[in-house]
Amino acid sequence: MNAMREWAAAEAARRRTFAVISHPDAGKSTLTEALALHAHAITSAGAVHGKSGRRGVASDWMEMEKARGISVTSAVLQFAYRDCVLNLLDTPGHADFSEDTYRVLAAVDCAVMLIDAAKGLEEQTRKLFDVCRHRGIPVITFINKWDRPGREALELLDEIEREFRLKPTPVNWPVGTSGYLRGLVDVREPERMLRYTRTPGGAHEAAEEVVPAERAAFEEGADWQQAVEELQLLEADGAGFDQASFLAGGSTPVFFGAAVSNIGVRLLLDAIVDLAPPPGPRRLEGGGSRPVDAPFSGLVFKVQANMDPAHRDRIAFLRVCSGVFERGVTVSRAASGKPFATKYAHSVFGQDRSMVDTAYPGDVVGLVNAAALRVGDTLYDGPPALFPPMPTFAPEHFAVVRPVDISRSKQFRRGIAQLDEEGVVQVLVSDTRGDQAPVLAAVGPMQFDVVSARMAGEFSAPVRLEMLPYHLARATDAAGADTLNRSQLVKGEALTRIRDKAQLALFPDRWQANSFQRQFPDASLGTLLAAHE
Ligand SMILES: Nc1nc2c(ncn2[C@@H]2O[C@H](COP(=O)(O)OP(=O)(O)OP(=O)(O)O)[C@@H](O)[C@H]2O)c(=O)[nH]1
Ligand SMILES: [Mg+2]
């Protein structure tokens, strides 16, 4: 027993499980690929071409992602680097997919926050940062796209400090203004500059040349001088990296670079190993926590079907939280108390996977064809464990979905049920509407595009959507739902969410909701978690 505990603890200590987060387009998927390239997990970046001609990345594998050049779902890459195993989760930046991103944040120990050098802090980055703070997830900052004209380095640091109340502590520093990057200085080794030679299209690691200070001063002149002065200024300001305040959410180590040209990526990768925290005890619902060396426990944070068109199966992504996961053992599913056999388990790398026999705290395991598992499920062995529930957001867009071809209604129902279980959208039903015309509820309209594309592409059941004039959802109960559905005077409708059987009252706007509440003061009307909370 003790040997098992020591084994789990030792393996946990060399795991780093982190998410890459930011506003859309800051370069998360590009950085994800660059990190994998530097860890030699892939041999060349951009080998695959997307439909639009843009280079595709390993984490963006869905057809729609390749075609549009955006990530619509999170992706997992696991790879070894130095003596560690890294579990990297690339998240979609678009607000419409923020439910997916939030679920990923429930499964990681650290986040790498990207900032576009030209844009500074953007809306979605702020929201995601708030989530990290709320969850106590330490944040590493990567200021990306330094190869393009943008803002000043010190100004960006000020913005982080002012708006996030987070002390920025640079770990590397740029020589040359944004758009005119000459090299980087590792703050711990200020007597030398790192100069990079890019490879075409950033397909391979950029060659790194160490330039001693004297030569850098000679060759880079004013740019080197400015970097030296800025570094002195930072030192005087006490901006040195501090592990304790980083882990406590008081400071963030900052890196500069250009993911697309692989500049500054190795420094970041090393920092993830050196600075990011390994898995620690996880908080349990109802109090207490489960240490990493306790018997096995894990959290299902994502479910996705048809990742591999050749197999057409369904994967539940499990983050191991404690103990050793061994394929083949039977564990318990907290939600039902029923046993669950872990026969088919894979480690995942974007779209590719390979069988995995053991996994340790921090690892992400893909459980194949685990039809019983749902997002938010806890699995455990030994003493029961239950992790806190996943957030579900208040939807703001609603559409009735119907099959284009009614002879395909079986495929239609199967597809909608699958997308509901994955949490691609929320599916609402009512007796009056029937199950041939369920209502899809989304945080953002792009989720509907994903439904349309996947229903046609994966389930051979093209759909037609008809938007409903509602934009506000409130929580109610059976009596409240009944009152609303009977009322002739209020524009609104109550439906049942399949996922958790919750009754949702839908209104065009809050005035209609208020008017309903005034007319029926006894009807229960509560708020749902808003997407920006
Ligand atoms: N100039 C420059 N462009 C970059 C850099 N990193 C990424 N890009 C480009 O920025 C665009 C967006 O990159 P992605 O990696 O897809 O961005 P993302 O953050 O994953 O976007 P979403 O997943 O949709 O939120 C692409 O055209 C990249 O080639 C960089 O360092 N410099
Ligand atoms: Mg992306």
Side-chain angles (χ1 to χ4, degrees), residues 19 74-75 89-91 99-108 301-302 390:
S74 52
L89 290 113
D90 177 23
T91 64
E99 258 188 339
D100 187 0
T101 302
Y102 280 41
R103 289 179 207 135
V104 165
L105 286 172
V108 299
F301 64 94
K302 178 181 173 67
M390 293 277 174

Side-chain angles (χ1 to χ4, degrees), residues 24-30 54 69-71 91-93 144-145 147-148 258-260:
D25 247 22
K28 295 175 291 298
S29 300
T30 307
R54 168 188 170 274
I70 59 162
S71 305
T91 64
N144 192 29
K145 306 199 184 181
D147 58 325
R148 282 222 300 240
V260 80

Side-chain angles (χ1 to χ4, degrees), residues 82 140 171 255 266-276:
R82 289 175 27 197
I140 295 176
V171 177
F255 295 80
R266 185 189 57 83
L267 293 172
L268 176 68
L269 190 58
D270 281 320
I272 289 163
V273 167
D274 296 331
L275 314 180

Side-chain angles (χ1 to χ4, degrees), residues 173-430:
W173 194 254
V175 179
T177 50
S178 51
Y180 192 69
L181 180 61
R182 309 301 302 159
L184 295 171
V185 181
D186 184 335
V187 173
R188 294 158 298 188
E189 297 175 305
E191 67 292 339
R192 45 185 244 179
M193 180 182 95
L194 301 170
R195 183 185 280 153
Y196 297 87
T197 315
R198 306 170 198 186
T199 60
H204 299 284
E205 279 175 62
E208 202 176 271
E209 181 197 356
V210 177
V211 183
E214 246 172 51
R215 213 177 97 210
F218 178 70
E219 288 171 2
E220 307 302 344
D223 285 322
W224 173 256
Q225 200 47 44
Q226 186 184 344
V228 168
E229 282 164 20
E230 286 169 336
L231 284 168
Q232 283 165 354
L233 213 74
L234 289 166
E235 200 181 331
D237 189 35
F241 173 72
D242 177 59
Q243 183 84 19
S245 80
F246 161 55
L247 295 181
S251 68
T252 177
V254 179
F255 295 80
F256 291 82
V260 80
S261 327
N262 294 310
I263 296 174
V265 175
R266 185 189 57 83
L267 293 172
L268 176 68
L269 190 58
D270 281 320
I272 289 163
V273 167
D274 296 331
L275 314 180
R282 278 187 93 78
R283 201 164 60 80
L284 294 169
E285 180 71 355
S289 62
R290 188 138 169 139
V292 289
D293 61 354
F296 164 78
S297 67
L299 171 71
V300 176
F301 64 94
K302 178 181 173 67
V303 170
Q304 175 115 36
N306 305 327
M307 286 181 63
D308 180 352
H311 289 93
R312 298 250 159 220
D313 52 12
R314 181 176 185 280
I315 297 196
F317 290 85
L318 174 91
R319 167 184 161 134
V320 180
C321 299
S322 67
V324 178
F325 169 89
E326 288 174 287
R327 183 170 66 85
V329 300
T330 298
V331 296
S332 301
R333 175 175 175 245
S336 59
K338 292 209 174 109
F340 176 82
T342 58
K343 198 165 163 197
Y344 301 104
H346 285 90
S347 78
V348 186
F349 189 88
Q351 197 176 359
D352 304 329
R353 31 172 148 143
S354 51
M355 197 71 96
V356 63
D357 287 315
T358 44
Y360 307 94
D363 284 344
V364 173
V365 175
L367 299 170
V368 184
N369 281 342
L373 298 185
R374 298 286 178 274
V375 173
D377 267 355
T378 301
L379 295 181
Y380 66 87
D381 193 17
L386 181 64
F387 297 114
M390 293 277 174
T392 309
F393 294 153
E396 291 174 18
H397 302 268
F398 304 87
V400 182
V401 60
R402 290 190 182 86
V404 168
D405 176 356
I406 49 162
S407 74
R408 308 200 65 82
S409 61
K410 209 177 99 210
Q411 289 89 335
F412 170 81
R413 274 201 301 272
R414 201 168 58 83
I416 294 295
Q418 174 60 39
L419 299 183
D420 179 38
E421 283 170 16
E422 287 184 22
V424 171
V425 279
Q426 301 175 25
V427 181
L428 315 179
V429 290
S430 73

Side-chain angles (χ1 to χ4, degrees), residues 439-473:
V439 172
L440 304 183
V443 172
M446 249 205 276
Q447 288 171 263
F448 294 142
D449 297 348
V450 176
V451 170
S452 295
R454 292 190 58 190
M455 286 299 288
E458 295 170 23
F459 299 95
S460 313
V463 295
R464 214 177 15 239
L465 293 166
E466 177 204 332
M467 299 303 290
L468 291 174
Y470 306 132
H471 291 285
L472 179 75

